[in-house]
Amino acid sequence: MGTASFLKRARALLRIRNRLARECLAELLAVFVLILITLSGSAQMVTSSGTKGNILTAYLAGALAVMVAVYTAGGVSGAHLNPAFSLAMCLLEQFPWWKFPIFVAVQTAAAFIAAGAVYALYYDAIRHYGNGTLTVSGPQETASIFATYPADYLSISNGFLDQVMATAMLILGILAILDTRNKGVPKGLEPVAVALLVLSLGVSMGSNCGCPMNPARDFGPRLFTYVAGWGAEVFRWV
């Protein structure tokens, strides 16, 4: 009885009553989960030279990470996870504009923190694979674990089109899944449908740029690699 009473008082004390604070914390945790699993899938593929993962397993990890992240925060913040989705909600007048910069900052910060966690988790593997050096290009580069880079043949204009089209398909697909006037996804399985959407886009539109579709997912970890020692080359079109 005493323990139950103590736990009840502790929950009441730790409960966050401010709605915006709860939403931001939910978004922070969900994006952290998303990026932790996504980047870990890439790290396992790269550092094992493809023996413990390949491009398909990396895409699958990213898609399932989306599912887990949506289940994590969907009931609190709506699990935006992506500044592009937050912007779309603002344009559709389903999300207040004043919250937009706050959500973008939280999403980017969560991606940065998650990149640091992946670096710590795979520190030995990254150092071993790169022979102790952190490089952005070359046969033993490791920067692509954290951020996406264009294929050698890709022009800036084609890269821009690639990202616009892939992100548009992502937003269109999510809106279609969530539209109650459509045939509809069984209640509670919406995150699974979104994960399958992300997987389909990865395996069909991933060869040009890696199909990031999420500015926070790309910029946060890219900024981390710059700080962690990969250098300014992470921001150049190589």
Side-chain angles (χ1 to χ4, degrees):
M1 191 70 176
T3 302
S5 178
F6 171 77
L7 292 175
K8 185 176 180 180
R9 289 198 303 269
R11 283 195 297 268
L13 182 64
L14 295 174
R15 183 182 178 188
I16 299 173
R17 292 174 173 78
N18 183 275
R19 179 179 177 180
L20 178 61
R22 291 201 306 270
E23 291 175 347
C24 288
L25 287 173
E27 200 73 8
L28 183 75
L29 178 60
V31 175
F32 178 84
V33 169
L34 167 66
I35 305 304
L36 180 70
I37 298 174
T38 300
L39 299 189
S40 292
S42 295
Q44 182 163 305
M45 174 186 67
V46 171
T47 59
S48 69
S49 299
T51 61
K52 296 180 181 179
N54 52 41
I55 192 66
L56 182 58
T57 63
Y59 284 141
L60 185 59
L64 294 177
V66 170
M67 180 188 70
V68 177
V70 175
Y71 276 125
T72 299
V76 181
S77 68
H80 288 202
L81 310 178
N82 185 340
F85 182 75
S86 297
L87 177 61
M89 292 297 97
C90 289
L91 293 173
L92 293 172
E93 298 183 347
Q94 296 182 22
F95 189 67
W97 280 100
W98 67 269
K99 283 186 179 181
F100 176 67
I102 299 174
F103 265 47
V104 171
V106 170
Q107 290 159 357
T108 305
F112 182 93
I113 296 169
V118 173
Y119 181 60
L121 180 64
Y122 278 92
Y123 179 83
D124 289 344
I126 290 171
R127 289 290 177 173
H128 178 264
Y129 178 80
N131 291 323
T133 61
L134 303 176
T135 57
V136 179
S137 56
Q140 291 177 295
E141 61 80 21
T142 48
S144 64
I145 291 173
F146 299 91
T148 57
Y149 291 87
D152 294 338
Y153 57 78
L154 198 68
S155 65
I156 293 178
S157 59
N158 200 179
F160 178 78
L161 175 63
D162 177 272
Q163 286 309 288
V164 169
M165 190 171 295
T167 304
M169 289 300 99
L170 173 68
I171 301 302
L172 176 65
I174 293 174
L175 292 178
I177 290 168
L178 298 178
D179 191 344
T180 56
R181 296 168 297 180
N182 279 342
K183 189 171 183 180
V185 176
K187 187 173 178 59
L189 292 180
E190 296 89 349
V192 178
V194 174
L196 292 173
L197 169 64
V198 172
L199 180 61
S200 71
L201 292 174
V203 298
S204 63
M205 299 184 184
S207 63
N208 283 335
C209 296
C211 210
M213 301 181 292
N214 185 337
R217 175 258 178 273
D218 191 81
F219 180 72
R222 191 182 301 273
L223 181 61
F224 172 80
T225 56
Y226 171 72
V227 172
W230 274 266
E233 191 179 354
V234 299
F235 290 111
R236 299 193 185 106
W237 187 279
V238 181

